[in-house]
């Protein structure tokens, strides 16, 4: 950008009012970046409809939404600080020219335009769109009303980034608690479960209603409604899930191993 264009650009920036910031729609943040590069980064991302830029912190936020009658930009609050808000459709020609061969290119949603050294451009996957697959809940009764508040949280969804899952009250993650945005633009399939846990006031797990059905030594549990290979009287209990009907130290089950009648189970404890 030559000196004249730079001066014009600086004058344009000076007229943009500070203390304005669009919140709740940021899909990417870049730190220690100049405003020109911030606007360029927005321009080559098809999903970017506006930017928030902090002059003092050199913090760039790319937004997937712009100001409308419904979507309101916050002004002069603790959240806005020294941010300026600029919508994509108000970018000057000087900003658009920074994108080079990508200035007249529109990639599909979830991709960004990258100029190639030998000419031309490429649209490269950079984001995972939509939400990750739901996580399996290991419960054996109707889902308690209190368990509907679990879910993924994080606004970030770029390739390589992770989303953490918060299991609902009364359950804990087993086998992990996050998924990764893969290079193909798809979310990694969650391989972990949210298992029902024993509460602090139920140290023996007498009220445990989860689906753990293997013992501490990894033996499979015998179904409660069968008396083979081990005869017993607790035939009214559910499936082959670990339970504690007789005040043992913690939930247990009869095993399918004829040489081992019963064993305790490794039931997760609520944090």
């Amino acid at each position: 950008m030559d000196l004249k264009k730079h001066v014009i650009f600086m004058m344009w920036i000076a007229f943009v009012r500070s203390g304005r910031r669009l919140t709740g729609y940021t899909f990417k943040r870049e730190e220690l970046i100049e405003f020109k590069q911030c606007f360029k980064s927005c321009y080559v991302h098809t999903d970017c409809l506006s930017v928030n830029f902090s002059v003092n912190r050199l913090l760039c936020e790319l937004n997937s939404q712009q100001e409308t009658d419904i979507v309101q930009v916050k002004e002069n609050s603790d959240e806005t600080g020294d941010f300026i808000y600029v919508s994509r459709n108000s970018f000057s020609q000087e900003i658009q020219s920074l994108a080079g061969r990508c200035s007249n290119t529109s990639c599909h949603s979830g991709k960004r335009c990258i100029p190639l050294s030998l000419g031309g451009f490429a649209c490269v996957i950079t984001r995972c769109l939509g939400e990750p697959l739901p996580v399996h809940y290991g419960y054996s009764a109707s889902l308690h009303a209190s368990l509907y508040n679990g879910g993924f949280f994080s606004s970030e969804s770029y390739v390589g980034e992770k989303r953490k899952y918060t299991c609902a009250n009364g359950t804990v993650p087993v086998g992990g608690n996050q998924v990764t945005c893969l290079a193909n633009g798809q979310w990694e399939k969650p391989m972990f479960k949210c298992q029902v846990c024993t509460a602090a006031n139920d140290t023996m797990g007498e009220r445990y209603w989860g689906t753990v059905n293997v013992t501490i030594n990894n033996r499979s549990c015998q179904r409660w409604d069968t008396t083979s290979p081990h005869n017993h009287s607790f035939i009214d209990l559910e499936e082959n899930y670990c339970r504690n009907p007789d005040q043992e130290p913690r939930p247990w089950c009869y095993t399918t191993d004829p040489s081992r009648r019963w064993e305790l189970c490794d039931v997760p404890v609520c944090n």
Side-chain angles (χ1 to χ4, degrees), residues 82-97:
D82 68 330
F83 275 94
I84 62 173
Y85 165 83
V86 182
S87 65
R88 183 190 183 102
N89 56 21
S90 66
F91 286 180
S92 65
Q93 289 297 320
E94 284 73 26
I95 293 296
Q96 297 177 29
S97 67

Side-chain angles (χ1 to χ4, degrees), residues 95-148:
I95 293 296
Q96 297 177 29
S97 67
L98 291 173
R101 287 185 291 274
C102 291
S103 59
N104 296 314
T105 302
S106 180
C107 296
H108 290 299
S109 184
K111 297 183 178 182
R112 66 166 293 181
C113 177
I114 296 179
L116 302 178
S117 58
L118 298 179
F121 63 90
C123 289
V124 179
I125 294 174
T126 57
R127 296 181 63 200
C128 286
L129 302 178
E131 292 297 315
L133 293 172
V135 173
H136 174 73
Y137 271 81
Y139 59 90
S140 62
S142 298
L143 192 62
H144 291 186
S146 63
L147 293 188
Y148 282 108

